[in-house]
Amino acid sequence: LKTNEAFVRIGHFSHVECVTLDKIRSPKTRKGKDGKPLPWGKTRTLANGIYPFGWVKLEFVNLKSKPRPQINWPFSLQELENIIQAKKESIIKANKVAEVAAVEAREAEIKRLNEEKRKAVLEAMSPEERDIAAINDPKITENQVVEIYNRIDDFSEENKTKLALALKSYWEKHGKWEKKICSKKQWAKVQKVKGILRKD
């Protein structure tokens, strides 16, 4: 430094020992387990992880002399703002990713629990009750429906009626209940199911 220059620290993050005059102010300090005050200056707050906060160069200038050229600092304010903004965006993005992952995990857990509950209910059913429940399952295929229909004669009278109702509902939803839109084989199935329902 030249004779007309000096380094000083200012601002909130300049640390107590740099902004306090001895015997003028007595700032509060943390105390250790033994009750004695802890020493100052054990931490350093840095801007961008490199430059300490609060340092400025104080220069006494002769106003009558020619103005000195502007000093090029190692980083600009805009660069620092860009770094801070990028950090904020990174944190926001990470939080959104974590939120989406948490929602997906909750949905997967709910789906798993529901599937376990469904399996437990099916396991507690008789074979006839499982067939009736299968007809009402949106995932059932046409071939599976035909296989269950072919077993209808072996059902108890009570469950036979329940299966007939389930088959009627399924075929109505899939446009296979009215004669004008049914094949001969399908219409024969419909007639049989209607006959079971008429008995009741």
Side-chain angles (χ1 to χ4, degrees):
L1 292 176
K2 297 180 180 180
T3 55
N4 66 330
E5 295 176 343
F7 280 126
V8 296
R9 294 192 72 178
I10 60 174
H12 181 65
F13 294 104
S14 298
H15 301 287
V16 64
E17 73 274 18
C18 297
V19 294
T20 303
L21 296 175
D22 292 340
K23 299 180 181 181
I24 301 298
R25 289 182 59 205
S26 299
K28 294 181 179 180
T29 60
R30 292 181 299 169
K31 294 183 179 180
K33 294 181 179 179
D34 57 0
K36 296 181 180 180
L38 294 172
W40 292 337
K42 287 213 167 184
T43 61
R44 286 292 176 267
T45 306
L46 304 179
N48 195 23
I50 302 173
Y51 306 102
F53 276 109
W55 281 111
V56 296
K57 186 171 73 171
L58 182 65
E59 180 179 359
F60 299 94
V61 179
N62 184 353
L63 297 179
K64 295 181 180 179
S65 64
K66 295 181 179 179
R68 297 187 61 181
Q70 186 176 359
I71 299 174
N72 293 323
W73 292 94
F75 62 90
S76 68
L77 181 59
Q78 185 60 50
E79 288 173 338
L80 184 59
E81 289 178 350
N82 291 342
I83 292 170
I84 294 171
Q85 182 62 30
K87 185 66 175 177
K88 288 180 179 178
E89 291 175 356
S90 176
I91 292 172
I92 292 171
K93 184 177 180 180
N95 288 340
K96 286 183 178 179
V97 170
E99 289 174 3
V100 170
V103 170
E104 290 177 347
R106 285 196 297 270
E107 290 176 349
E109 180 64 12
I110 292 171
K111 185 177 180 181
R112 184 187 67 81
L113 292 173
N114 287 339
E115 183 63 19
E116 287 184 357
K117 183 178 179 180
R118 187 186 71 83
K119 288 181 178 179
V121 170
L122 288 175
E123 288 175 0
M125 292 179 177
S126 67
E128 291 181 0
E129 289 172 334
R130 280 197 289 270
D131 279 345
I132 295 168
I135 294 295
N136 295 317
D137 188 344
K139 297 179 182 178
I140 194 170
T141 64
E142 186 64 29
N143 288 338
Q144 290 173 323
V145 172
V146 173
E147 289 175 2
I148 294 172
Y149 165 81
N150 289 336
R151 293 194 289 268
I152 195 169
D153 291 334
D154 300 326
F155 275 49
S156 66
E157 291 302 317
E158 181 182 357
N159 285 334
K160 187 181 293 185
T161 300
K162 291 180 179 179
L163 178 57
L165 287 170
L167 288 167
K168 177 185 177 183
S169 176
Y170 175 86
W171 283 330
E172 282 178 337
K173 289 178 182 177
H174 291 79
K176 294 185 177 184
W177 186 251
E178 300 297 331
K179 183 177 181 180
K180 59 184 178 181
I181 54 177
C182 286
S183 66
K184 289 183 178 180
K185 289 183 178 180
Q186 176 60 27
W187 181 241
K189 296 185 184 76
V190 171
Q191 289 290 85
K192 184 172 182 176
V193 168
K194 284 184 176 181
I196 294 170
L197 294 176
R198 276 196 297 268
K199 291 179 182 179
D200 297 328

